[in-house]
Amino acid sequence: MQQLAGEVSDAGAMTHLTALQKIADENGGNRAAGTRGYDASVEYVSGVLRQIGFEVSTPSYEGSDHDDEGGSTPGRNVIAETRTGDAGQVVMIGSHLDSVQEGPGIVDDGSGVAALLEIATRLGAEPAVKNKVRFAFFGHEEVGLQGSKGYVESLSSADLKKIKMYLNVDMIASPNGGYIVQGGKGSDEEETGPPGSGTIAQVLADQLVKSGVKSPEIIKFVGDDETAFVEAGIPTGGAENGDAKKKTAAQAEAWGGQAGQVYDPCYHQACDRIENVNRTVLGHYVRALAGTVAHFATSPDALR
C-alpha cells in the first residue's frame, strides 16, 4: 500500500481514456446519461473491475435525461469494492461516468474515471488494508447529480455510517489546469463538508506536494457529486483542476500554464477529446489520489 502512489501512472490512465474516447466516437460523439454511449461506458468500467477481481454491482436509480419532459428513466451507477478490509470502515472514492451531450467528456470526467480505474488496477481486489476500499462511478452528474443522490438515498442509515470518508474526483487533466483541493474551507458545512473533511483535503494536498506540485490550493465545495455525502454527514474531500474560470497570475507562477486563460477551453464542448488531456496534470493527480487512498485505507484513525 505504501508503494501505491509510485506504481500508478498517467500512461495507465490514458489507456482508459482512449477506450472512453472510442466509446463516444462509436455512439454519436458523447457518453451522456441515458444514451448508448453511457451504457457502453458502464459495461467498460464494470468489465475492467471484474477482470481485476473486484466485487462489482450496477445499482439503478430513477433519473431524468436531458430531453425528458418531467419523465423518469432508470440510470445505473457502477460500484466496486475490495474483498479485503473492514466492511464497517469503508474508504470511498468516486467520479462521474457521464458526459454532456455536446461532447465525449474525456477531461470532464473521463479523467476522474480513468484515475480511479488505474488506482483500482494497481491496488488489486485483495490488498493488505485495514479498511475496505469502495470505488463509485456515478451517472447523471451533468443532469442534477442524480446518480450520486440516488446512491446515497438507497443506503440504510447503518450502511451510511459504515462509510468513513468520501473523496470526489471531478476533472483532473485540463490543458491549463491547476491543482485544487476541496474540504474544510468555507463559512458553513455545505461549503466545508462535515467534520473530518479538512483532514481529507490536507492529506490530498500533502500528496500533491509529494508528487511535485507547488502550493496546491484548498477551496470550498461548490456542489458536485460530493453534495449527497456532505448532506449525509460523511467526511468528504474533493479533487478538481478548474473548468471555465481563468487561471490567476499567482497560480500560473506556481503551477505553470497561461495566466488569464480558462483552465479548460473545451469544457462541456465537442473538443473535450483525448487531445484535450494534460498528461502532466493527470499524472500528479493520479499519484496524489493513490497516496490518499493508501493513507486512509491503512489508517487506524476514525474520521467520525
Side-chain angles (χ1 to χ4, degrees), residues 141-158:
E141 188 271 351
E142 300 287 7
V143 202
L145 315 174
Q146 296 173 73
S148 54
K149 289 180 180 178
Y151 174 75
V152 171
E153 289 173 358
S154 75
L155 299 178
S156 67
S157 57

Side-chain angles (χ1 to χ4, degrees), residues 224-235:
D224 290 316
D225 273 330
E226 78 282 340
T227 301
F229 293 87
V230 169
E231 292 175 350
I234 297 168

Side-chain angles (χ1 to χ4, degrees), residues 218-268:
I218 302 178
I219 66 170
K220 65 183 180 181
F221 289 113
V222 296
D224 290 316
D225 273 330
E226 78 282 340
T227 301
F229 293 87
V230 169
E231 292 175 350
I234 297 168
T236 300
E240 60 113 333
N241 68 191
D243 44 43
K245 293 182 180 179
K246 293 181 179 180
K247 179 177 280 187
T248 68
Q251 290 173 334
E253 183 178 356
W255 305 329
Q258 297 298 312
Q261 301 298 314
V262 297
Y263 297 111
D264 190 349
C266 288
Y267 177 62
H268 283 185

